[in-house]
Amino acid sequence: MAFGDQYSRWRVDRSRVPAACGLSGVISEDGAMIGGDVIIESMKVIHDRGNGLGGGFAGYGIYPRYRDHYALHIMFEDPGGRAACEELLEADLQVQESEEIPTRPGPGIEDAPELRRYFAVPRPEKLAALAIGPDDFMVQLVMRINTTVPGTFVFSSGKNMGVFKAVGFAEDVGEFYRLPDYSGYCWIGHGRFPTNTPGWWGGAHPFNILDWAVVHNGEISSYGINKRYLEMFGYECTLLTDTEVMAYLFDMLVRKHGLPLEVACRVLAAPFWKDIDIEDDPASRALDEALRVVYSSALVNGPFAVIVGFSRGMVGLNDRIKLRPLVAAVKDDLLYISSEESAIRQICPRPDRVWAPNAGQPVIGELKGDV
Amino acid sequence: MAGNMVTSEFLVQVDHERCRKCKRCTLNCGFGVFDFKDRVTADTSKCVACHRCVVFCPEEAITVARNPLAFREHSSWDVDRRKAIWKQAQDSGMLLTGMGNDLPWLNVFDHLLIDACQVTNPSIDPLREPMELRTYLGRRPDRVEVERSDGGFKLDTEVGNIIKLDIPIMFSGMSYGSVSINVHKSLALAAQRLGTVMNTGEGGLHEELYPYGDHIIVQCASGRFGVHSEYLNKGVAVEIKVGQGAKPGIGGHLPGEKIGREVSSTRMIPVGTDALSPAPHHDIYSIEDLRQLIYALKEATGYKPVSVKIATVHNVAAIASGIARAGADIIYLDGFRGGTGASPAVVRDHVGIPLEIALAVVDQQLRSEGIRNWVSIIAAGGIRSSADVAKAIALGADAVGVGTAALIALGCRLCQKCYTGNCSWGIATQRPELVGRLDPDWGAERLVNLINAWSLELKEILGALGVNAVESLRGNRERLRSLGLDEMTTEILDVKPAGR
């Protein structure tokens, strides 16, 4: 059964849903803790960039007690799904803790599925049997659950981080999940404006696999080939939305192919040949040529602005001709990235510097030490 | 009894009121239709409707029309079938023909529609923004490794030998012998100016064209005509021709009358002997033999890319996978509409499958095996316009090959009589007085004009799709929809029907 089939009540067909959106993100490079209320406050200002059909957040550093466990956030539409899913989890994982995700039902958030979280690690004997690392094991498990277990969707699977998302305006989603009760060193948020069909909880941003969380404003016009390319490497794009390819591409390029983040960004938003051809440094030119030749199918084309959270920070990136807004600012050790300057000024009235990153130029905030 | 029961296909009429008796028509017709006895007379039975006389008559005194001779209609026994039987009852031979399949099979390209942006994402104006068509061909690694070096990053992976094309369009293989030297010169000049490549076909490469080697793929076919070390090393890549879309499973036959001094020395066979290409390569009876030839050619050329050209037959996906695993860097798919200088009509018209379907299944097969990076796919045999180029690329082609379209640009009227060697346009002929009619500089300009026009159109399509690099269309079937195709074909093409 394909993933969309379980959610027929949410979907009218299996086509992708184009969406425009508002994004915001903040990181303390020193690893200072920032409350979840801060990112909610920022998202409030860009309320109008969403239309109430999807909002979400990812927080990093929020589960220090289980920092070495994968934190699985799972939504259940179907009680039978929960039983089947927990059976799978029990078979493959050592589950340290299992609990309901705390929520505060309020206005603007309706029709919530059952929401639970599991802190777990893969069973060593399972890893040994498959001869793969724990990350790959978790990716396979998440994809298996999401494609085979009825009415069940793993929407967060990283360590010491969590994704919280729902159908609703971002600020309402944040309050629903009681984000002010959490604190983390990095937060990203998203308000969605899908142009088709009622939103589905799983279709809200951020999209996540392992530690990668992507909030995205845009439409990936190259989706068809990005998806088919990822499928060649074992990724199943099941969510019927273009944003997930962004998460998987980062995962593949950085985690599996070992590319530095900056280099991965040069794959996703590749420089133009006209600029590569005149690069002075032959080593840099050779690298850019090789990236474009080898990773031509990973070029993400079409309008996009993304903020991608990862275990040590976040990166903001625009498409190669900057067709969607993205603004960055710094204040002391804090880096802010957002769709609009107003969303930054709301939580940082006097930044040291504010700028509009150039097309295809990543803005990267990374922890300086350990947290 | 009449010697020839086959009535003329065309009628040639000369308006003697207008005719000034300049006799240009008698000189221009390669098929000997015209004679002059006090006034111009025409033997209509010889006319192939190549229009040379019509175009060159200064008085517009000549008209060529389809013979309106009435036949009793019969839906099973159409006129062409009756004529075929008369011809074979008379001469007992295989019926020969030229150019591509002319039967009205379903043309899948004409049932695919391209997407465009509206509102939710912006289209891109190719006149204002960069729009990239650059294309690379050849095997590439699955991943790039980099190492950090003083503040920057350094490439730590060898990408290997690949071919750079400025546009995703190349000229298909047409041998010197089947076409004239001036066609080859036109193609070479145009390929150089366009930043793309031509393909020699199986007849070798005339020495005069050696300077264009950077824009030439040299072919090694079953007859090995013109294949020697210097030849192999002149091109940017070597192509092993296993099959041709117009005649899958069939060898070739260039009759001795076309083997003059120049063709003879280029093909390395005696003047006046028939050039017979065997149906199979007699050193390739299986896939492991292909591997040996691929690596022999790589060894001979310092590891230039090797392309393998096959006709699109039923089991093409598995065959292509084998070719990729045998070490080929490029797979050249020649669809059942691909052209030819000579083929038995029965094979041309009834053997093989459409390029579009073959392309879709080959691309998908290589992806499902995780080896799509190993090879580039060239789609050829039925590419008629920039729309076909875009659709072929969206189905999964890295680039396309054009042959028939290039010849039409040079004046070909698709009369399908290439095998007679009488081409009035100087294209498919070795008769010196006909060859001289095609000026390579004029020909090159026409080809450059055509391909530049297609490139502009392709950029416009990409811009409408909201992408600015051709790789974002490549294999992106999400941007195609089918209209009027049956469900199974749509599924095989892996496209959605219009409305979905």
Side-chain angles (χ1 to χ4, degrees):
Chain A
M1 179 165 53
F3 181 64
D5 296 344
Q6 305 129 27
Y7 292 92
S8 52
R9 100 178 160 90
W10 295 105
R11 320 196 62 81
V12 290
D13 67 37
R14 307 196 49 193
S15 56
R16 291 178 306 127
V17 182
C21 311
L23 336 162
S24 201
V26 56
I27 180 175
S28 160
E29 295 195 326
D30 287 343
M33 287 294 145
I34 304 163
D37 52 317
V38 172
I39 193 72
I40 294 175
E41 194 61 24
S42 175
M43 290 304 298
K44 268 185 195 168
V45 185
I46 47 176
H47 174 95
D48 282 357
R49 299 189 70 89
N51 66 358
L53 292 180
F57 300 87
Y60 288 82
I62 60 170
Y63 293 135
R65 196 170 149 218
Y66 293 111
R67 66 170 65 237
D68 296 323
H69 287 76
Y70 292 95
L72 299 174
H73 291 191
I74 308 183
M75 54 180 75
F76 300 105
E77 276 296 320
D78 176 339
R82 178 175 163 191
C85 177
E86 288 187 341
E87 206 171 297
L88 272 181
L89 296 181
E90 192 53 41
D92 280 0
L93 307 177
Q94 293 168 338
V95 180
Q96 188 69 29
E97 171 140 7
S98 149
E99 62 186 7
E100 249 179 66
I101 298 176
T103 56
R104 181 184 293 121
I109 306 294
E110 292 165 2
D111 222 2
E114 187 178 3
L115 298 160
R116 295 189 61 81
R117 63 188 170 200
Y118 303 83
F119 298 94
V121 291
R123 292 188 181 278
E125 65 272 21
K126 289 279 180 180
L127 293 181
L130 293 171
I132 58 172
D135 283 347
D136 281 330
F137 184 87
M138 291 305 292
V139 171
Q140 287 181 13
L141 177 64
V142 169
M143 293 206 170
R144 192 159 86 241
I145 295 171
N146 286 355
T147 51
T148 63
V149 182
T152 300
F153 180 49
V154 182
F155 62 100
S156 187
S157 55
K159 285 180 179 172
N160 198 12
M161 63 83 68
V163 167
F164 304 90
K165 60 187 187 179
V167 171
F169 282 101
E171 60 273 24
D172 296 337
V173 174
E175 296 296 343
F176 172 80
Y177 278 108
R178 305 170 61 159
L179 292 194
D181 297 350
Y182 297 81
S183 59
Y185 57 85
C186 175
W187 287 97
I188 60 177
H190 186 265
R192 188 166 184 233
F193 197 135
T195 49
N196 188 353
T197 68
W200 163 57
W201 281 51
H205 297 208
F207 281 97
N208 163 275
I209 188 75
L210 300 176
D211 292 332
W212 300 104
V214 179
V215 291
H216 169 228
N217 171 17
E219 183 169 333
I220 300 177
S221 307
S222 56
Y223 171 80
I225 185 55
N226 300 142
K227 168 179 178 285
R228 297 182 76 217
Y229 179 67
L230 283 162
E231 283 167 356
M232 234 171 66
F233 293 91
Y235 292 88
E236 289 181 51
C237 297
T238 54
L239 300 181
L240 318 175
T241 172
D242 43 15
T243 304
E244 68 177 328
V245 306
M246 192 73 85
Y248 298 157
L249 284 170
F250 268 103
D251 184 59
M252 186 186 86
L253 294 172
V254 177
R255 183 176 66 84
K256 299 194 82 167
H257 290 189
L259 293 183
L261 202 53
E262 298 93 315
V263 176
C265 289
R266 285 182 92 73
V267 168
L268 302 174
F272 283 95
W273 285 116
K274 68 178 175 60
D275 299 321
I276 295 174
D277 289 345
I278 57 168
E279 277 183 46
D280 288 333
D281 176 16
S284 165
R285 194 167 61 237
L287 175 61
D288 280 332
E289 280 174 2
L291 292 173
R292 287 209 59 180
V293 168
V294 173
Y295 290 117
S296 57
S297 302
L299 170 65
V300 179
N301 217 320
F304 73 80
V306 289
I307 305 175
V308 180
F310 57 100
S311 57
R312 298 193 51 80
M314 69 174 182
V315 52
L317 182 68
N318 262 131
D319 63 85
R320 60 210 302 247
I321 53 175
K322 192 155 179 139
L323 293 171
R324 289 286 157 93
L326 197 67
V327 181
V330 287
K331 170 81 175 172
D332 304 324
D333 74 310
L334 294 162
L335 170 71
Y336 300 87
I337 306 175
S338 180
S339 297
E340 295 187 23
E341 189 175 332
S342 60
I344 295 174
R345 296 229 179 234
Q346 179 72 9
I347 52 175
C348 176
R350 276 176 294 280
D352 299 336
R353 187 161 82 92
V354 181
W355 75 100
N358 285 337
Q361 297 291 318
V363 178
I364 300 177
E366 213 163 349
L367 287 177
K368 292 182 186 127
D370 287 329
V371 284
Chain B
M1 195 62 209
N4 188 356
M5 291 176 65
V6 185
T7 48
S8 301
E9 285 200 62
F10 306 100
L11 295 185
V12 182
Q13 284 173 330
V14 180
D15 181 345
H16 295 292
E17 289 284 309
R18 307 190 78 159
C19 175
R20 283 192 300 160
K21 305 187 177 179
C22 72
K23 303 183 193 172
R24 273 193 181 84
C25 52
T26 63
L27 294 173
N28 266 286
C29 181
F31 293 85
V33 167
F34 295 100
D35 203 354
F36 190 82
K37 297 167 191 155
D38 295 336
R39 60 183 196 172
V40 172
T41 59
D43 177 354
T44 57
S45 69
K46 294 177 178 169
C47 180
V48 300
C50 79
H51 304 174
R52 181 78 188 186
C53 57
V54 175
V55 172
F56 279 81
C57 175
E59 299 300 322
E60 296 185 35
I62 303 174
T63 49
V64 175
R66 178 162 283 287
N67 187 347
L69 176 66
F71 288 78
R72 182 81 183 184
E73 288 80 10
H74 194 295
S75 57
S76 297
W77 294 98
D78 58 55
V79 176
D80 287 344
R81 284 194 170 83
R82 282 175 252 180
K83 283 187 174 176
I85 288 179
W86 289 325
K87 285 178 191 166
Q88 293 190 299
Q90 182 174 307
D91 296 332
S92 195
M94 282 196 292
L95 296 175
L96 281 185
T97 188
M99 306 313 287
N101 197 325
D102 68 351
L103 294 187
W105 297 102
L106 177 80
N107 193 314
V108 178
F109 280 134
D110 293 339
H111 292 267
L112 292 172
L113 295 166
I114 302 168
D115 193 17
C117 297
Q118 297 288 292
V119 183
T120 55
N121 63 358
S123 43
I124 301 170
D125 187 340
L127 298 176
R128 293 183 171 84
E129 305 276 354
M131 196 58 70
E132 299 182 317
L133 298 183
R134 190 186 292 187
T135 295
Y136 287 84
L137 301 179
R139 177 171 296 236
R140 54 205 81 185
D142 286 342
R143 53 183 282 195
V144 166
E145 287 177 51
V146 300
E147 58 186 35
R148 286 179 193 272
S149 75
D150 29 278
F153 301 101
K154 203 167 134 284
L155 180 63
D156 199 24
T157 299
E158 192 161 341
V159 174
N161 217 335
I162 49 175
I163 307 169
K164 181 185 129 191
L165 305 182
D166 289 342
I167 47 172
I169 304 169
M170 59 165 69
F171 296 120
S172 302
M174 293 177 278
S175 74
Y176 172 42
S178 76
V179 296
S180 69
I181 187 66
N182 285 345
V183 171
H184 259 212
K185 284 181 183 172
S186 302
L187 291 168
L189 279 164
Q192 186 181 50
R193 285 183 211 161
L194 290 164
T196 184
V197 292
M198 68 169 280
N199 184 310
T200 60
E202 65 171 312
L205 181 66
H206 195 283
E207 277 189 21
E208 271 189 53
L209 295 177
Y210 281 6
Y212 299 93
D214 286 351
H215 298 278
I216 293 177
I217 293 177
V218 296
Q219 205 178 72
C220 169
S222 63
R224 297 291 193 274
F225 298 119
V227 176
H228 50 84
S229 175
E230 191 183 6
Y231 164 78
L232 290 175
N233 281 285
K234 276 299 166 200
V236 287
V238 183
E239 178 167 281
I240 300 169
K241 178 193 160 187
V242 172
Q244 187 176 337
K247 42 181 175 180
I250 298 284
H253 178 185
L254 192 67
E257 24 315 0
K258 292 190 185 175
I259 315 289
R261 183 174 304 279
E262 296 293 317
V263 174
S264 147
S265 65
T266 304
R267 291 206 171 205
M268 305 191 304
I269 53 172
V271 173
T273 54
D274 288 3
L276 293 162
S277 302
H281 285 247
H282 282 306
D283 53 358
I284 304 178
Y285 278 39
S286 183
I287 192 79
E288 64 272 21
D289 298 338
L290 176 67
R291 183 178 180 83
Q292 293 204 9
L293 182 56
I294 289 172
Y295 279 91
L297 291 171
K298 287 189 178 188
E299 287 289 337
T301 58
Y303 279 74
K304 286 185 178 169
V306 171
S307 166
V308 175
K309 174 175 178 174
I310 53 169
T312 57
V313 292
H314 299 182
N315 202 20
V316 65
I319 295 165
S321 161
I323 291 170
R325 292 180 186 283
D329 305 284
I330 299 167
I331 298 176
Y332 186 110
L333 299 173
D334 198 16
F336 84 150
R337 285 196 175 77
T340 178
S343 168
V346 63
V347 174
R348 186 197 71 170
D349 294 345
H350 299 280
V351 177
I353 63 171
L355 169 68
E356 304 89 311
I357 292 173
L359 174 59
V361 297
V362 167
D363 178 63
Q364 187 52 44
Q365 179 72 28
L366 297 177
R367 286 182 186 282
S368 60
E369 294 183 27
I371 57 174
R372 183 62 181 84
N373 279 5
W374 294 12
V375 285
S376 296
I377 300 175
I378 314 294
I383 303 290
R384 304 158 300 169
S385 64
S386 60
D388 290 353
V389 177
K391 292 170 189 178
I393 289 172
L395 285 173
D398 288 277
V400 302
V402 295
T404 302
L407 297 187
I408 292 175
L410 297 178
C412 168
R413 311 305 258 210
L414 228 60
C415 76
Q416 310 186 29
K417 301 292 178 191
C418 325
Y419 60 94
T420 64
N422 294 325
C423 179
S424 304
W425 294 90
I427 296 168
T429 180
Q430 300 303 322
R431 284 164 56 186
E433 76 280 14
L434 300 180
V435 172
R437 294 175 180 183
L438 179 60
D439 171 15
D441 288 322
W442 176 85
E445 191 186 327
R446 307 258 312 168
L447 292 168
V448 168
N449 285 345
L450 173 74
I451 302 302
N452 277 343
W454 284 14
S455 298
L456 284 174
E457 291 173 338
L458 195 53
K459 288 179 177 183
E460 207 68 54
I461 289 170
L462 291 177
L465 285 164
V467 300
N468 47 24
V470 68
E471 54 255 49
S472 297
L473 177 61
R474 192 166 287 131
N476 191 348
R477 301 178 188 175
E478 184 65 30
R479 311 304 299 275
L480 290 179
R481 291 292 186 271
S482 72
L483 184 64
L485 287 178
D486 63 276
E487 203 174 325
M488 181 57 82
T489 305
T490 298
E491 187 188 316
I492 288 169
L493 292 170
D494 187 25
V495 297
K496 293 175 186 160
R500 281 284 172 80

